[in-house]
Amino acid sequence: MSVLSIPLKTQLHALRPVFRTAAACVMAAWVPVLSAAGQDPAVTTDSPLPGLLRERATLTRQYADASAQRHSLFGNKPSKKDLEEVVDALQGIVDKDQQIVDVLNQTAQTAQSTSVRLAATTTHIENSSRDDRNLTAQRVSELQNETENLRQREKQRLTKMRDLEAEVTEAKQGHFVRDALIAGLAVLSVGLLVALRRGK
């Protein structure tokens, strides 16, 4: 029995699994894109996907038109030409779905590569940031230690200055007492000499 002699309804029923398979392929192709991007896939200006989707919509309309045609001489039954147009339209849709699946797979691979690069860049930035924080903390600690050392040295210097000032004051006081004793002894000596001369 020829394929074209099979009723259109039977042929369409037989072709339904083809449509389901094509639709499943398209949906399966979107899953890695969504998983990789974490959101609706962004279509770039140079992506062929919009054009392919428009072409598929055109093929779908052609299929609907071909399915609605009835050119048979025996009433409302599809002619051989009608069935050929339906089959051609279905084949065009299946081929277009395969092209869409290929583009989506490529998009998913690109998104995954981008995700890997972003993860590597993020790790590098985090490591650099951690190293910078550690270096900064170390430098701050060094500066604090240097400041504390300077403070201690300044404190020691002030202590030494006070000690020296105390020694100078003590020395001055000692010189004053000595000079006073010398002056007193000198006056006493002069007084004794005067007294001795008068006694003679």
Side-chain angles (χ1 to χ4, degrees):
M1 179 181 295
S2 173
V3 174
L4 297 179
S5 63
I6 301 175
L8 177 60
K9 186 175 182 180
T10 303
Q11 289 194 21
L12 294 178
H13 181 74
L15 289 172
R16 284 178 183 172
V18 176
F19 271 120
R20 285 197 296 268
T21 302
C25 290
V26 173
M27 292 303 297
W30 278 107
V31 172
V33 177
L34 293 171
S35 300
Q39 56 186 4
D40 292 338
V43 180
T44 58
T45 55
D46 57 347
S47 174
L49 188 59
L52 291 174
L53 292 175
R54 286 193 297 269
E55 293 173 4
R56 189 187 190 281
T58 300
L59 291 172
T60 302
R61 286 193 298 271
Q62 292 176 358
Y63 164 73
D65 294 340
S67 298
Q69 290 178 359
R70 296 292 185 270
H71 294 153
S72 175
L73 297 175
F74 304 100
N76 198 24
K77 294 181 180 180
S79 64
K80 179 179 179 180
K81 182 179 179 182
D82 295 335
L83 294 178
E84 289 176 349
E85 290 178 357
V86 170
V87 172
D88 291 342
L90 287 175
Q91 186 61 48
I93 293 174
V94 171
D95 293 342
K96 194 61 60 179
D97 284 344
Q98 184 59 51
Q99 294 178 19
I100 293 173
V101 168
D102 293 340
V103 170
L104 292 176
N105 286 334
Q106 183 179 1
T107 303
Q109 292 175 358
T110 302
Q112 185 175 5
S113 300
T114 302
S115 177
V116 171
R117 288 196 300 272
L118 288 175
T121 302
T122 301
T123 301
H124 175 71
I125 292 174
E126 289 176 350
N127 292 336
S128 299
S129 178
R130 183 171 58 253
D131 294 341
D132 291 341
R133 288 195 301 271
N134 292 338
L135 183 61
T136 301
Q138 180 180 357
R139 184 55 183 161
V140 168
S141 178
E142 292 174 355
L143 290 175
Q144 289 176 344
N145 292 334
E146 291 178 4
T147 302
E148 183 62 26
N149 291 335
L150 289 174
R151 186 180 295 109
Q152 291 297 329
R153 286 198 292 269
E154 180 66 16
K155 185 177 180 180
Q156 293 173 0
R157 187 182 69 82
L158 292 175
T159 301
K160 288 181 179 180
M161 286 183 63
R162 285 194 293 268
D163 292 343
L164 288 174
E165 289 174 354
E167 291 178 1
V168 169
T169 301
E170 184 179 355
K172 286 180 179 180
Q173 290 177 352
H175 291 160
F176 176 78
V177 172
R178 184 193 63 185
D179 293 343
L181 289 174
I182 292 173
L185 290 173
V187 170
L188 182 60
S189 298
V190 170
L192 289 174
L193 289 174
V194 171
L196 289 173
R197 286 180 181 177
R198 286 179 181 178
K200 290 180 179 180

